[in-house]
Amino acid sequence: MVSRGLRSLLLACSSLVVVSAFASMTSPVFAQNAPPAQGTAASQEQTALPTIIVKGKRVRQGAPEDSPLATRTTAEQIAEKDIDDLDDLGDTTEPGVSFVSATKSVNIRGLEADRVLTTIDGIPVPYLSDGVRNSQGGVDTYDFASLGTVDILRGADSSRAGSGALGGAVILRTLEPEDLIADGATVGGVAKLGYDGSDRSLIGAAAVAKRFDNTSVLFQTSYKYGREEETGGDVGGYGATRTEADPMDLNRRNILFKVRQSLEGGHTIGMTAEHYDQNTTTNLRQTQGGTYQADDYDRDSDKKRDRLSLDYFFDATSGDSWIDSAFATVYFQRAERIEGTHGTRLTGPIGTYMRSSDNEARSYGASGYANSSFDTGLLDHQVTFGGNIDFTRTSQYQKGDDTCDVVFAPACANYHNNRSDMPDTDSLMVGLFAEDKIGLGNSGVSLTPGLRLDWYRHDPQETSTYTSIGNSPDLPEGQSDFRLSPKLRAAWQVRPDVELFAQVTTGFKAPNVSQLYSNYDNAPLYRQIGNPDLDPETSYGFEAGANFGDEDFGGRIAAYTTRYKNFIDTETTPEAGYRVGSIEYFNRARVRISGVEARAQKTFSSGIDLHGSLAYARGTDLDTDELLASVAPLKAIVGVGYNTAFWGTDLSLVTAAAVDDDSIAATKPGGYGIVNLTGWWEPEQTKGLRIQGGVYNLFDKTYFDALEVKEIANASEFYSEAGRYFKISLTQKF
């Protein structure tokens, strides 16, 4: 299996080399070699250069995504690639990013769950976790139709993201009025209607913005109705032999409202309101026919997020200002996830049966940053400083209903419902950071030292739903800790379109409430308990790479290695009075993840474009020498397209290597390669109209996503990905 992975890596690398080499031979000029301007203005120009390979608006200086470790997908690319979720993102513009439905989280560089941070407009999106009931998720509570940009920050850029970004961060920016209003206009908008054959869904979205003198407003909304995502299986019926997907109904709604007021001197203030809600009902036919009655055992899942924020932006209008730019937001956010099952049991306790886990996080907080540029002799300084504060109350409650109070059955002794398995917990997170990009005259060389301080405190609260459960009347102790996370980046702007960089970073993640305080006692079978003495997870790593070119001909390559300490994991230990044992959290000593990422693209004057990207990583437990199952095998995307002013097409190969034989994954699927064919048309007679569609998995291949089956032993085709399907959409801009 190692040789298979090596062959796949060489094949993907060769494809990228061909893209770059062929483009170089046919491009008359790679880039202009004009020298940079002098003084501070040159320094500011160089700041934006690392992001010129990405289509769309310039990254705001000082933002977390203002880093050579980040790549951007814009609203235009989201529309052009017909990206509706994170899986689409990983199969088009970001091959190193996956959304893992098993953990309902984002995986970057082999880390997932709450080790990858998600923020939206500078506000952290909570990852809700009920470790006892395996109800978790929430970081995908947004709609891609409402986004202006998606930035993927790889690795722990400590001075930017803070706690929770060990693997990286998904940095989301929602649409602003100026994204829709064209220059010289006062109103603008977009409407889209689409169909996705993978889950037979209909999607409608619309956004409109209007400017009134110095005031602008935006309203965006979307709705999706869909079914289950198809698998590659064709066996129906009930029970474990079923390989077709279980029937499901899905409803998703999103609403975004913004108002912005421009003031004199470069100041802008505003308000943002956002609502997201998705609910699904799944007919669990694969588990029916034995314990549960056929067609009468369903799973309900509902995830919601609401936020209200006051926002501030500043861009200096003169060179006399001490502050060049700034951003701040003050927010309230409520996130909730409800997941459970209901139906009819055929074994004791016979009759009505319902279980539902409710997890909620209510947050109040603020975050912001500012930038200042100045010279000290031959040194140019670009200082960024800022911080965040977040107060969150986390709560969990398990509801249950059955016939145990009518006719007692032996299984009733193992049921524990209508209670909380962990106390309500008040958490305070505080972070402060500063960094200084120091340019060495006109050499193009810069050093960027940075330092971040993170402090947190968890305080369990006494509630009757927790202290009345009988097995633990006393509250666990609270926990607090802090961490200093330094970094140092060196960069060389070889010429205006080529940047080399190397960076040493450190990272940090505080234990979550479930890991600290969960408490489920199911004697005499087993118990699962938190560990209030857990240490925070930490990391230190090194990364080197290059960004080159622009959107017509450019790319990036990076290699990295990161070591992690105090990885939080679970183990089952023998315990008197429990036949299975006691499931407890502990800190795993040492883990290392290393890898390489690359991408390249070339657009020719003839309209032909070539593009390729890959992500490869290898993760090892240094104490056991085992390969981590959470690290995906090599994945690469290679494609060729042709575009004119009014129509275009693209043919892409998405391929992944087999899982290594030495991996601890429960299922080790082989490699795969699927072909996607897409096209678009913008009729010359109808301004702003775009029709696009595609055939995905063109050859109807049955394959598995390694991250989805890593904890499922002998996974059947029930867990496979969708076969051949079609997508089509109609978009109108005005």
Side-chain angles (χ1 to χ4, degrees):
M1 296 293 253
V2 173
S3 60
R4 282 196 292 168
L6 180 59
R7 286 197 301 269
S8 299
L9 176 59
L10 292 174
L11 175 62
C13 290
S14 300
S15 300
L16 286 176
V17 170
V18 169
V19 170
S20 298
F22 182 60
S24 297
M25 291 186 294
T26 55
S27 179
V29 179
F30 178 80
Q32 295 180 356
N33 288 307
Q38 302 294 317
T40 304
S43 176
Q44 292 174 342
E45 178 67 72
Q46 290 176 1
T47 303
L49 284 173
T51 64
I52 61 176
I53 65 168
V54 186
K55 297 179 181 179
K57 69 187 75 173
R58 182 178 62 87
V59 175
R60 287 184 63 89
Q61 181 184 341
E65 62 270 25
D66 180 16
S67 165
L69 278 66
T71 54
R72 165 163 289 189
T73 300
T74 65
E76 290 76 15
Q77 290 173 296
I78 291 172
E80 291 170 0
K81 301 291 185 180
D82 212 1
I83 298 173
D84 185 54
D85 54 33
L86 285 162
D87 283 330
D88 290 343
L89 187 75
D91 285 338
T92 53
T93 64
E94 299 288 356
V97 176
S98 300
F99 183 79
V100 185
S101 60
T103 58
K104 300 179 179 65
S105 65
V106 185
N107 185 297
I108 300 177
R109 291 186 172 178
L111 299 184
E112 56 191 56
D114 60 348
R115 295 185 178 109
V116 173
L117 180 68
T118 298
T119 66
I120 187 163
D121 295 334
I123 302 169
V125 179
Y127 179 76
L128 302 174
S129 176
D130 178 357
V132 172
R133 312 288 177 174
N134 200 30
S135 175
Q136 52 204 358
V139 294
D140 59 337
T141 49
Y142 54 87
D143 185 4
F144 269 78
S146 69
L147 300 180
T149 58
V150 179
D151 290 279
I152 302 299
L153 177 64
R154 294 165 174 81
D157 193 342
S158 54
S159 67
R160 302 290 182 158
S163 177
L166 288 184
V170 180
I171 303 170
L172 310 170
R173 303 289 176 185
T174 55
L175 290 169
E176 292 289 338
E178 59 264 27
D179 294 329
L180 301 178
I181 303 174
D183 292 339
T186 59
V187 65
V190 60
K192 177 180 178 179
L193 180 65
Y195 172 78
D196 185 341
S198 66
D199 58 2
R200 293 171 291 163
S201 62
L202 288 172
I203 306 169
V208 62
K210 171 69 175 176
R211 181 184 296 117
F212 306 90
D213 296 326
N214 293 325
T215 304
S216 56
V217 295
L218 177 146
F219 178 78
Q220 185 273 338
T221 186
S222 63
Y223 177 77
K224 175 178 179 177
Y225 173 75
R227 302 283 188 172
E228 68 279 3
E229 183 172 319
E230 301 290 346
T231 70
D234 57 4
V235 178
Y238 303 87
T241 60
R242 180 183 178 90
T243 60
E244 292 182 349
D246 285 335
M248 184 182 76
D249 289 326
L250 176 147
N251 291 274
R252 186 183 75 195
R253 295 159 290 273
N254 188 85
I255 298 174
L256 175 70
F257 175 76
K258 289 188 175 184
V259 58
R260 298 289 186 255
Q261 179 66 46
S262 298
L263 306 174
E264 293 184 359
H267 302 275
T268 301
I269 58 175
M271 183 271 291
T272 301
E274 184 185 16
H275 169 76
Y276 178 95
D277 182 11
Q278 176 179 298
N279 56 75
T280 62
T281 299
T282 306
N283 185 347
L284 299 173
R285 288 184 176 175
Q286 208 204 32
T287 60
Q288 297 169 5
T291 302
Y292 302 100
Q293 183 170 308
D295 288 324
D296 192 14
Y297 184 58
D298 298 338
R299 179 176 63 240
D300 292 330
S301 178
D302 192 0
K303 53 186 178 184
K304 303 177 182 178
R305 186 176 60 85
D306 298 287
R307 65 115 166 182
L308 181 67
S309 64
L310 301 177
D311 313 310
Y312 170 76
F313 304 88
F314 171 72
D315 288 290
T317 56
S318 70
D320 299 331
S321 175
W322 281 88
I323 301 298
D324 300 326
S325 62
F327 165 79
T329 184
V330 179
Y331 61 88
F332 164 76
Q333 182 173 244
R334 174 180 176 269
E336 183 179 26
R337 182 173 184 85
I338 303 173
E339 189 162 11
T341 57
H342 63 88
T344 301
R345 282 182 64 100
L346 302 178
T347 61
I350 297 173
T352 300
Y353 183 86
M354 183 275 290
R355 297 292 185 267
S356 180
S357 177
D358 188 342
N359 297 271
E360 183 184 71
R362 290 177 176 263
S363 303
Y364 303 85
S367 68
Y369 59 85
N371 307 284
S372 180
S373 300
F374 56 91
D375 300 333
T376 56
L378 294 177
L379 302 181
D380 301 324
H381 298 266
Q382 296 175 13
V383 176
T384 300
F385 57 93
N388 64 278
I389 182 170
D390 182 277
F391 174 81
T392 298
R393 167 159 287 196
T394 304
S395 61
Q396 178 271 339
Y397 186 75
Q398 170 73 15
K399 293 190 295 184
D401 185 29
D402 49 48
T403 59
C404 286
D405 57 344
V406 178
V407 179
F408 184 82
C412 294
N414 301 320
Y415 294 161
H416 306 283
N417 296 292
N418 302 312
R419 52 180 257 180
S420 296
D421 297 316
M422 59 186 184
D424 290 1
T425 302
D426 292 340
S427 302
L428 180 61
M429 310 283 288
V430 178
L432 298 171
F433 71 88
E435 69 173 37
D436 183 9
K437 182 178 180 180
I438 306 170
L440 305 180
N442 296 322
S443 66
V445 176
S446 65
L447 293 176
T448 307
L451 182 66
R452 182 180 179 97
L453 168 66
D454 283 290
W455 178 88
Y456 73 91
R457 180 170 182 82
H458 295 303
D459 287 316
Q461 304 298 305
E462 184 171 353
T463 58
S464 60
T465 58
Y466 177 78
T467 57
S468 65
I469 62 179
N471 57 21
S472 182
D474 298 326
L475 281 175
E477 294 183 358
Q479 186 192 77
S480 65
D481 204 345
F482 73 94
R483 186 69 55 177
L484 287 171
S485 300
K487 82 162 185 185
L488 179 64
R489 180 169 69 237
W492 179 27
Q493 201 76 46
V494 182
R495 55 190 193 185
D497 51 7
V498 178
E499 180 200 36
L500 307 180
F501 67 88
Q503 178 165 285
V504 178
T505 61
T506 55
F508 158 79
K509 186 194 82 69
N512 64 46
V513 172
S514 179
Q515 294 166 342
L516 292 170
Y517 305 126
S518 60
N519 187 352
Y520 182 74
D521 195 319
N522 195 20
L525 297 179
Y526 70 94
R527 71 171 182 175
Q528 181 168 334
I529 59 175
N531 180 359
D533 297 322
L534 287 172
D535 292 322
E537 299 179 340
T538 59
S539 71
Y540 62 94
F542 173 78
E543 180 160 355
N547 293 318
F548 60 91
D550 55 26
E551 63 182 40
D552 291 326
F553 178 31
R556 73 184 302 269
I557 185 169
Y560 63 91
T561 183
T562 306
R563 288 202 176 193
Y564 304 88
K565 293 182 62 178
N566 297 324
F567 243 42
I568 298 174
D569 205 345
T570 59
E571 62 181 350
T572 302
T573 58
E575 183 80 16
Y578 301 92
R579 291 200 293 269
V580 176
S582 179
I583 304 171
E584 302 177 8
Y585 290 93
F586 74 104
N587 288 113
R588 189 179 292 276
R590 299 179 303 153
V591 171
R592 181 184 63 215
I593 299 177
S594 304
V596 61
E597 297 162 341
R599 64 171 60 192
Q601 79 283 337
K602 168 60 182 176
T603 300
F604 299 93
S605 58
S606 63
I608 296 175
D609 70 81
L610 305 175
H611 56 89
S613 56
L614 68 84
Y616 171 77
R618 186 177 179 88
T620 307
D621 185 322
L622 297 178
D623 292 324
T624 65
D625 206 32
E626 296 174 324
L627 295 185
L628 303 180
S630 64
V631 178
L634 167 73
K635 184 176 181 180
I637 304 172
V638 180
V640 57
Y642 177 75
N643 295 279
T644 71
F646 303 106
W647 67 274
T649 186
D650 183 87
L651 183 69
S652 294
L653 170 67
V654 182
T655 181
V659 174
D660 197 293
D661 280 337
D662 295 330
S663 171
I664 62 173
T667 292
K668 302 178 180 65
Y672 67 84
I674 61 172
V675 176
N676 300 328
L677 176 63
T678 61
W680 61 272
W681 176 43
E682 294 183 355
E684 185 177 3
Q685 301 82 0
T686 310
K687 183 179 179 180
L689 177 65
R690 181 184 179 94
I691 302 171
Q692 64 189 66
V695 185
Y696 297 80
N697 194 356
L698 182 63
F699 299 107
D700 200 23
K701 183 176 181 62
T702 299
Y703 69 101
F704 294 85
D705 184 331
L707 297 179
E708 295 290 2
V709 297
K710 63 181 183 293
E711 297 180 357
I712 301 172
N714 302 314
S716 70
E717 291 182 354
F718 180 80
Y719 300 97
S720 62
E721 301 300 304
R724 183 191 302 114
Y725 64 94
F726 304 87
K727 293 176 71 172
I728 187 169
S729 65
L730 185 152
T731 303
Q732 178 67 59
K733 293 183 179 180
F734 58 89

Coordinates of all heavy atoms in Angstrom, one line a residue, residues 19 118 147 153 157 166 172 227 235 262 309 344 352 388 397 421 433 444 448 457 492 495 500 564 587 656 694 703:
V19 N 1.6 20.9 -16.0 CA 0.8 22.1 -16.1 C 1.7 23.3 -16.1 O 1.6 24.2 -16.9 CB -0.2 22.2 -14.9 CG1 -0.8 23.6 -14.9 CG2 -1.3 21.2 -15.1
T118 N -13.6 27.6 12.8 CA -14.4 28.2 11.8 C -14.9 29.6 12.3 O -15.4 29.7 13.5 CB -15.7 27.4 11.4 OG1 -15.2 26.1 10.9 CG2 -16.5 28.1 10.4
L147 N -22.1 33.9 1.1 CA -20.7 34.2 1.3 C -20.0 35.0 0.2 O -20.3 34.8 -1.0 CB -19.9 32.9 1.5 CG -20.3 31.9 2.6 CD1 -19.4 30.7 2.6 CD2 -20.3 32.6 4.0
L153 N -7.1 28.7 6.0 CA -5.8 29.0 6.6 C -5.3 27.6 7.1 O -5.9 26.9 7.9 CB -6.0 29.9 7.8 CG -4.7 30.2 8.7 CD1 -3.7 30.9 7.8 CD2 -5.0 31.0 9.9
D157 N -1.4 29.2 12.5 CA -0.8 30.6 12.5 C -1.2 31.2 13.8 O -2.3 31.9 13.9 CB -1.3 31.3 11.3 CG -0.5 32.6 11.1 OD1 0.2 33.0 12.0 OD2 -0.5 33.1 10.0
L166 N -5.6 24.3 15.5 CA -4.4 23.5 15.4 C -4.2 23.0 14.0 O -3.0 22.9 13.5 CB -4.5 22.2 16.3 CG -4.4 22.5 17.8 CD1 -4.4 21.2 18.6 CD2 -3.1 23.2 18.2
L172 N -14.7 32.7 7.0 CA -15.8 33.1 6.1 C -16.1 34.5 6.2 O -16.1 35.1 7.3 CB -17.0 32.3 6.5 CG -16.8 30.7 6.6 CD1 -18.1 30.1 7.2 CD2 -16.5 30.1 5.3
R227 N -33.4 15.5 -0.7 CA -33.5 14.1 -0.2 C -32.2 13.6 0.3 O -31.2 14.3 0.5 CB -34.1 13.2 -1.3 CG -35.4 13.7 -1.9 CD -36.5 13.3 -1.0 NE -37.8 13.6 -1.7 CZ -39.0 13.3 -1.1 NH1 -39.0 12.6 0.0 NH2 -40.1 13.6 -1.8
V235 N -28.8 -2.3 -3.2 CA -29.6 -3.3 -2.4 C -30.5 -2.5 -1.5 O -30.1 -1.7 -0.6 CB -28.7 -4.2 -1.6 CG1 -29.6 -5.2 -0.8 CG2 -27.8 -5.0 -2.5
S262 N -21.5 54.8 5.9 CA -20.2 55.4 5.7 C -20.1 56.8 6.3 O -21.0 57.6 6.1 CB -19.9 55.5 4.2 OG -19.9 54.2 3.6
S309 N -24.8 41.3 15.2 CA -23.5 41.9 15.4 C -23.5 43.4 15.0 O -24.2 43.8 14.1 CB -22.4 41.2 14.7 OG -22.5 41.3 13.3
T344 N -41.1 2.9 17.0 CA -41.7 1.8 17.8 C -40.7 0.6 17.9 O -40.2 0.1 17.0 CB -43.0 1.3 17.0 OG1 -43.9 2.4 16.9 CG2 -43.6 0.1 17.8
T352 N -43.8 2.7 22.1 CA -43.2 4.0 21.8 C -41.8 4.2 22.4 O -41.6 3.8 23.5 CB -44.1 5.1 22.3 OG1 -45.4 5.0 21.7 CG2 -43.6 6.5 21.9
N388 N -9.6 39.3 21.1 CA -10.9 38.8 21.2 C -11.3 38.5 22.6 O -10.4 38.1 23.4 CB -11.1 37.6 20.2 CG -10.3 36.4 20.7 OD1 -9.1 36.3 20.4 ND2 -10.9 35.5 21.4
Y397 N -28.9 18.6 27.3 CA -30.1 17.9 27.9 C -30.5 16.7 27.1 O -30.6 16.9 25.8 CB -31.2 18.9 28.1 CG -32.4 18.3 29.0 CD1 -32.2 18.1 30.3 CD2 -33.5 17.9 28.3 CE1 -33.3 17.6 31.1 CE2 -34.6 17.3 29.1 CZ -34.4 17.2 30.5 OH -35.4 16.6 31.2
D421 N -26.1 15.2 31.0 CA -24.9 14.4 31.2 C -23.7 15.2 31.5 O -22.6 14.7 31.8 CB -24.7 13.5 30.0 CG -25.8 12.5 29.8 OD1 -26.3 11.9 30.7 OD2 -26.2 12.4 28.6
F433 N -3.1 39.5 20.6 CA -2.0 39.2 19.7 C -1.4 40.5 19.1 O -2.0 41.5 19.0 CB -2.5 38.3 18.5 CG -3.3 39.0 17.5 CD1 -2.8 39.6 16.4 CD2 -4.7 39.0 17.7 CE1 -3.6 40.2 15.5 CE2 -5.5 39.6 16.8 CZ -5.0 40.2 15.7
G444 N 13.4 43.2 -0.5 CA 12.3 42.3 -0.6 C 12.3 41.3 0.5 O 11.4 40.4 0.5
T448 N 8.8 38.5 10.2 CA 7.5 38.8 10.9 C 7.5 38.0 12.2 O 7.0 36.8 12.2 CB 6.3 38.4 10.0 OG1 6.4 39.1 8.7 CG2 5.0 38.9 10.7
R457 N -11.2 30.1 30.9 CA -11.7 29.6 32.1 C -13.0 28.9 31.9 O -13.9 29.5 31.2 CB -11.8 30.6 33.2 CG -12.3 30.1 34.5 CD -12.3 31.1 35.7 NE -12.7 30.5 36.9 CZ -12.0 29.7 37.7 NH1 -10.7 29.5 37.4 NH2 -12.5 29.2 38.8
W492 N 10.8 36.3 1.3 CA 11.6 37.0 0.3 C 10.8 37.2 -1.0 O 10.4 36.3 -1.6 CB 12.9 36.2 -0.1 CG 13.7 36.9 -1.1 CD1 13.9 38.2 -1.4 CD2 14.6 36.2 -2.0 NE1 14.7 38.4 -2.4 CE2 15.3 37.2 -2.8 CE3 15.0 34.9 -2.2 CZ2 16.2 36.9 -3.8 CZ3 15.9 34.6 -3.2 CH2 16.5 35.6 -4.0
R495 N 10.6 38.8 -6.8 CA 10.1 39.8 -7.7 C 8.7 40.0 -7.5 O 8.1 39.3 -6.7 CB 10.4 39.4 -9.2 CG 9.9 38.1 -9.6 CD 10.5 37.7 -11.0 NE 9.8 36.6 -11.7 CZ 10.2 36.1 -12.8 NH1 11.3 36.6 -13.4 NH2 9.5 35.1 -13.4
L500 N 8.9 33.7 -1.7 CA 9.3 32.5 -1.0 C 9.1 32.8 0.5 O 9.3 33.9 1.0 CB 10.8 32.2 -1.2 CG 11.2 32.1 -2.7 CD1 12.7 31.8 -2.8 CD2 10.4 31.0 -3.4
Y564 N 2.5 17.6 17.7 CA 1.4 17.9 18.6 C 1.7 17.2 19.9 O 2.1 16.1 19.9 CB 0.1 17.5 18.0 CG -0.2 18.1 16.7 CD1 0.2 17.5 15.5 CD2 -0.9 19.4 16.6 CE1 -0.1 18.1 14.3 CE2 -1.2 19.9 15.4 CZ -0.8 19.3 14.2 OH -1.0 19.8 13.0
N587 N -4.7 12.6 27.8 CA -3.8 13.3 26.8 C -2.8 12.3 26.2 O -2.0 11.6 26.9 CB -3.0 14.4 27.6 CG -3.9 15.6 27.9 OD1 -4.1 15.8 29.1 ND2 -4.3 16.3 26.9
A656 N -7.8 10.0 -5.6 CA -7.2 9.9 -4.3 C -6.5 8.5 -4.2 O -7.0 7.5 -4.8 CB -8.3 9.9 -3.2
G694 N -23.5 20.3 -15.1 CA -22.4 19.3 -15.2 C -22.9 17.9 -14.9 O -23.9 17.7 -14.3
Y703 N -17.1 4.3 -5.0 CA -15.8 4.6 -4.3 C -16.2 5.1 -2.9 O -17.3 5.4 -2.6 CB -15.0 5.7 -5.0 CG -15.6 7.1 -5.0 CD1 -15.1 8.1 -4.2 CD2 -16.6 7.4 -5.9 CE1 -15.7 9.3 -4.2 CE2 -17.2 8.7 -6.0 CZ -16.7 9.6 -5.1 OH -17.3 10.9 -5.1

